[in-house]
Amino acid sequence: MNNIQDEIKKFESSKCEENNVFYQAMEEVIFSIAPLLESDEKYARHAILDRLVVPDRIIKFKVTWLNDKNEIQVNTGYRVQFNNALGPYKGGLRFHPSVNEGILKFLGFEQIIKNSLTGLPIGGAKGGSDFDPKGKSNFEIMKFCSSFMVELHKYIGSRIDVPAGDIGVGSREIGYLFGEYKKITSSYEGVLTGKPFMFGGSLMRPQATGYGVVYFTQTMLEIEGKESLEGKTCTVSGAGNVALHAIEKLQEIGAIVVSCTDSRGTIHDPRGVDLCLLKEIKLQKRGSLEGYIRVYPEAKYIPFEEYPEGAHAVWDIPCYAAFPCATQNELTDIDAQNLIVNGCVSVSEGANMPSTHKAINDFLSHKICFAPAKAANAGGVIVSEFEMAQNASMSKWSFEKVDEKLKLAMQQIVKRVALTARDYGVEGNYVDGANIAGFKRVADAMIAEGI
Ligand code: NDP
Ligand code: 2IT
């Protein structure tokens, strides 16, 4: 391996639009780990970077299924098995029309470093399909999931690769996928996590990512000598699994959450959002957030198209702490400037890579406490690993036990990241701290395992 600039040049020359988000994720890691690579030549000698940025394999397959009108539908399915140096491939499945190989490579790459940071024995992977679950009946979801698993089952297993949920994939989809896996293989094993509780799911898996982001933020604010979240105004984006559970925990600890978003618009309710109503609209009815203002006409609904290009209404609301929990690149440099000008003290990423590169640089240069996704949203995969442990030992842990272990794991990640940043001369920079600590563990395992 040559120097960092050569590495970047090499990746630049092979860039294509589909891979933009993958390069964004990769470049961030490469820049962060430069001091580690310079201080220890073994990583170059073992060509770790060259080996780490190429997935072990990418599985791509056709998914054919029948809709409710008995018409044949065709989608593409993927599984990117990125790296299993630390344990079985592990990472979610995303069902969304935007899914392509580049998005799954970015998510799989982030997952390697995230899973490494947890200190648990799990490798990195991601998968999914361009299938759009919106507007589909339960039967259509079931038929799609069955067809998807007819192909995917060949490549997964409780000690091989253990998929879970992500955007568009929750316990309903995991249930159908598990049912089909069991039918094909006759094996009742913990091959997927995020299962419904009644057949092997862990208590608290649905809450884990959202709660974990809040636990991370509490510890980070304490370490950085900032005021706690209690009584503070917080903004959250998204209105799915991660966002709603982040809101739930924030409200439980006494913060006032004044916003959420979905793919069409933003709700701003200065008195604090009504979480029960949000759950009814988004989880039960799977509807649009616009329904919120029919119940609370004094709240504001701002459709996305009504906001200037490149900016988002949710990040223009004054807050103490911001929690982007929807999707990648949903927080731009314009949004970062708005948050900074409005006095925001901390930004914690619940979604994967929600902040653009420029936005992150703005936060870091203004000394905003910035919790990067691969550290802050690790709660989901941590409880997934707890689910694997429960399945393997045929046991069930109580809600309190899982919650306690999750809290401890998140606190340990914050400390690991903060200490690593300090050791490498970038105190307070949790981006570099997370990338260096996550990279180092997986790189050392790769060296010990040989080529
Ligand atoms: P869900 O499908 O439950 O929810 C996604 C939410 O984000 C929905 O409200 C959706 O709106 C909204 N959304 C999706 N795309 C956009 C967009 N382009 N602009 C604005 N809003 C959008 O997914 P999750 O909550 O599980 O995932 C959210 C993020 O968290 C993702 O980045 C995911 O990778 C990450 N993550 C998830 C984990 C998990 O355990 N589930 C673990 C760690 C990270 P609508 O309702 O209109 O579709
Ligand atoms: O991005 C993520 O960490 C997830 N979607 C959860 C992965 C998992 O295996 O639980």
Side-chain angles (χ1 to χ4, degrees):
M1 196 204 69
N2 309 316
N3 66 36
I4 298 295
Q5 290 311 328
D6 291 343
E7 284 299 309
I8 297 285
K9 255 190 233 145
K10 194 167 72 193
F11 299 132
E12 293 270 341
S13 66
S14 61
K15 259 187 180 175
C16 67
E17 205 182 322
E18 186 175 303
N19 271 324
N20 278 351
V21 277
F22 175 49
Y23 289 113
Q24 183 183 338
M26 201 167 59
E27 277 176 9
E28 182 199 288
V29 173
I30 295 176
F31 280 118
S32 282
I33 61 171
L36 175 68
L37 300 192
E38 277 153 25
S39 67
D40 196 335
E41 57 76 40
K42 75 175 176 209
Y43 299 111
R45 188 157 35 87
H46 289 269
I48 292 300
L49 204 46
D50 290 306
R51 289 160 60 195
L52 192 68
V53 298
V54 181
D56 288 350
R57 65 194 64 80
I58 299 178
I59 299 142
K60 182 173 178 181
F61 50 92
K62 181 173 69 179
V63 186
T64 316
W65 57 283
L66 281 181
N67 70 11
D68 287 345
K69 292 183 203 149
N70 275 336
E71 293 160 342
I72 298 169
Q73 307 293 305
V74 184
N75 287 97
T76 306
Y78 305 85
R79 187 70 179 165
V80 179
Q81 295 182 332
F82 226 118
N83 185 292
N84 65 353
L86 292 170
Y89 299 109
K90 183 82 195 88
L93 297 171
R94 178 176 288 193
F95 290 170
H96 193 272
S98 65
V99 162
N100 59 36
E101 214 172 282
I103 288 183
L104 296 177
K105 273 161 67 186
F106 123 63
L107 289 164
F109 182 71
E110 290 282 287
Q111 199 83 45
I112 306 172
I113 312 283
K114 181 193 311 190
N115 293 2
S116 167
L117 258 183
T118 66
L120 298 168
I122 38 180
K126 204 81 187 191
S129 173
D130 57 0
F131 170 71
D132 186 359
K134 276 214 183 100
K136 304 289 189 298
S137 70
N138 260 330
F139 268 122
E140 287 176 322
I141 299 283
M142 186 177 75
K143 284 184 282 186
F144 174 79
C145 288
S146 299
S147 296
F148 184 83
M149 188 51 86
V150 165
E151 198 60 32
L152 186 71
H153 86 274
K154 300 170 192 166
Y155 311 102
I156 61 176
S158 58
R159 294 295 163 113
I160 301 169
D161 180 358
V162 184
D166 194 79
I167 289 180
V169 179
S171 62
R172 174 183 60 168
E173 290 73 19
I174 295 290
Y176 293 144
L177 290 163
F178 180 77
E180 186 64 30
Y181 181 86
K182 188 164 60 69
K183 194 161 84 187
I184 298 169
T185 63
S186 297
S187 174
Y188 204 107
E189 56 174 304
V191 65
L192 293 148
T193 59
K195 299 182 287 298
F197 178 69
M198 64 190 139
F199 50 89
S202 175
L203 287 172
M204 258 208 78
R205 177 61 187 86
Q207 293 88 346
T209 315
Y211 282 21
V213 180
V214 178
Y215 295 152
F216 189 101
T217 309
Q218 287 178 304
T219 312
M220 172 177 73
L221 291 173
E222 208 180 302
I223 290 181
E224 300 302 320
K226 305 288 186 212
E227 286 177 35
S228 75
L229 293 167
E230 201 184 328
K232 299 290 195 304
T233 298
C234 295
T235 48
V236 173
S237 67
N241 173 276
V242 179
L244 294 178
H245 290 107
I247 295 174
E248 185 168 277
K249 184 48 77 178
L250 284 167
Q251 291 185 339
E252 202 183 298
I253 63 168
I256 304 142
V257 182
V258 296
S259 73
C260 64
T261 67
D262 65 11
S263 51
R264 300 218 219 133
T266 300
I267 286 292
H268 180 197
D269 189 342
R271 296 152 315 159
V273 293
D274 177 343
L275 183 59
C276 285
L277 179 60
L278 289 177
K279 283 187 177 174
E280 188 189 313
I281 294 173
K282 294 306 297 185
L283 299 185
Q284 285 156 32
K285 298 187 179 150
R286 295 177 193 267
S288 156
L289 278 180
E290 213 172 344
Y292 189 92
I293 52 165
R294 283 197 276 279
V295 180
Y296 292 108
E298 59 283 24
K300 250 195 257 166
Y301 176 73
I302 310 144
F304 276 141
E305 60 278 9
E306 280 184 15
Y307 225 66
E309 179 99 12
H312 302 87
V314 64
W315 311 127
D316 210 359
I317 301 169
C319 67
Y320 180 76
F323 294 84
C325 295
T327 193
Q328 63 270 9
N329 291 331
E330 55 159 321
L331 197 164
T332 64
D333 51 330
I334 304 172
D335 297 322
Q337 286 304 329
N338 288 337
L339 282 164
I340 294 164
V341 167
N342 285 328
C344 174
V345 165
S346 120
V347 177
S348 304
E349 297 189 319
N352 281 309
M353 206 171 73
S355 314
T356 63
H357 184 61
K358 276 187 173 169
I360 296 175
N361 284 344
D362 286 342
F363 291 138
L364 295 177
S365 62
H366 284 83
K367 302 280 175 224
I368 305 290
C369 293
F370 180 74
K374 55 175 77 77
N377 75 23
V381 78
I382 286 170
V383 175
S384 274
E385 198 273 350
F386 295 169
E387 185 171 324
M388 290 162 73
Q390 290 170 77
N391 293 164
S393 59
M394 304 283 271
S395 60
K396 286 273 187 203
W397 301 354
S398 69
F399 191 96
E400 290 71 27
K401 177 172 173 171
V402 180
D403 194 28
E404 205 173 295
K405 283 173 75 75
L406 169 66
K407 203 178 277 176
L408 187 66
M410 295 309 297
Q411 290 165 349
Q412 281 169 344
I413 295 179
V414 186
K415 287 178 191 153
R416 199 169 292 145
V417 167
L419 280 178
T420 307
R422 201 194 58 190
D423 289 349
Y424 283 84
V426 283
E427 191 160 0
N429 183 334
Y430 285 50
V431 176
D432 288 349
N435 286 328
I436 295 170
F439 172 85
K440 196 171 176 326
R441 183 166 173 252
V442 69
D444 290 345
M446 286 169 74
I447 292 171
E449 289 171 14
I451 55 169

